[in-house]
Amino acid sequence: MHRSASRLTRVLACAAVPVILTVAGCSSDSGKDSGSNGGKKSTASSSAKPNAKSSPELEKAAYATLPDPCKALQTATIDTVVPEAKDKSGTGAKSNDLASRASCSWNGLDSDGLKGSQYRWLSLSFFRADSHASLGSANKRAEEEYNKQVEKAKATADAQNVKAEATEGTGDQGTSVVYSVKKDVDFFNTTIVARTQNVVVTLDYNGAAYEGAGAPDQAKLLQDAVAAAKEAVASVDAANKQQAEQPQSQSPQPQQ
């Protein structure tokens, strides 16, 4: 009886061993999971994504406004370039954004009785570019517009004897394009394209003779066009200086 009881005790003790090992194993696995999860959290927090490199800052546009194109040329200049202009104050074109695009035109017929008449037409246009993250700097965009206008003048429909050359004193870049177009009479055309910083000035000027009058002097047309273009370029700088001074002149006076 004593021997049977002793044997039973040993059997129960051996049977209990796997249970203890199983419990211990569960405790060990639980610890590993906890440690592993903790490690993952630590890794995630320590491997924060680096800040994306900021794109290089674009230069600020030199000019923030455009002059009134109908007032960019002096009255004396209009009298010289467009004698007997119908409206010396010019005709402004409609624009949805006058801070970026603006233009004005003049025309006149100078009659000399039996000697015939001289017709003149003048158009002055301004384009202003701003710096844009996806489009580039203001000056770069203006240079692209400048090249576009030069090529456009060269490609004028039915243009004959096209001649393009650089002009001086018309800002950072300047090109004159001279050509003639045959309509009911010969029209002699001059286009001056100029760039000053982020603003492009395009001046189109043409003349024709009627009723037996002598053909316009192309050299004189070019000379007058270049002079007017220089004045238009100068008006851009003047308009922006005036705008910069306005806040100071309009600032309230200190109370006594």
Side-chain angles (χ1 to χ4, degrees), residues 31-177:
K32 288 181 180 179
D33 290 343
S34 176
S36 176
N37 290 338
K40 289 181 180 179
K41 291 180 180 180
S42 175
T43 302
S45 61
S46 63
S47 59
K49 294 182 179 180
N51 293 330
K53 293 183 179 179
S54 57
S55 57
E57 185 176 353
L58 293 174
E59 63 181 353
K60 182 180 179 181
Y63 295 124
T65 191
L66 291 176
D68 182 340
C70 293
K71 297 179 181 179
L73 302 178
Q74 299 179 10
T75 301
T77 301
I78 299 300
D79 288 338
T80 299
V81 179
V82 189
E84 300 300 323
K86 288 183 179 180
D87 185 356
K88 292 183 180 181
S89 62
T91 302
K94 294 182 179 180
S95 173
N96 294 328
D97 186 4
L98 291 174
S100 298
R101 292 181 183 272
S103 62
C104 189
S105 63
W106 299 259
N107 69 85
L109 185 65
D110 185 11
S111 178
D112 194 12
L114 297 177
K115 294 183 179 180
S117 303
Q118 291 286 343
Y119 174 79
R120 297 291 184 272
W121 179 83
L122 172 69
S123 173
L124 177 62
S125 301
F126 292 101
F127 168 85
R128 189 187 69 84
D130 275 320
S131 292
H132 193 282
S134 61
L135 299 177
S137 69
N139 282 12
K140 178 186 176 182
R141 295 181 65 199
E143 187 171 356
E144 291 172 350
E145 177 69 15
Y146 168 85
N147 292 328
K148 176 182 175 181
Q149 291 300 324
V150 171
E151 293 305 315
K152 180 180 177 181
K154 291 180 181 179
T156 299
D158 301 321
Q160 301 176 350
N161 304 316
V162 179
K163 182 180 180 181
E165 58 185 15
T167 60
E168 296 182 358
T170 52
D172 298 301
Q173 291 177 285
T175 298
S176 66
V177 182

Side-chain angles (χ1 to χ4, degrees), residues 5-25:
S6 177
R7 181 179 179 186
L8 179 61
T9 300
R10 286 198 302 271
V11 171
L12 291 176
C14 291
V17 171
V19 176
I20 296 172
L21 292 176
T22 302
V23 174

Side-chain angles (χ1 to χ4, degrees), residues 171-240:
D172 298 301
Q173 291 177 285
T175 298
S176 66
V177 182
V178 178
Y179 55 94
S180 61
V181 176
K182 182 72 174 179
K183 296 183 180 179
D184 51 337
V185 295
D186 287 328
F187 277 78
F188 297 93
N189 299 261
T190 299
T191 297
I192 308 295
V193 184
R195 181 181 70 84
T196 174
Q197 299 279 12
N198 60 309
V199 173
V200 176
V201 178
T202 303
L203 186 145
D204 291 309
Y205 182 46
N206 67 53
Y210 289 94
E211 301 171 350
D217 184 342
Q218 281 189 300
K220 182 65 165 57
L221 292 177
L222 175 59
Q223 179 182 348
D224 289 345
V226 171
K230 289 180 179 179
E231 192 173 322
V233 168
S235 73
V236 175
D237 189 59
N240 281 270

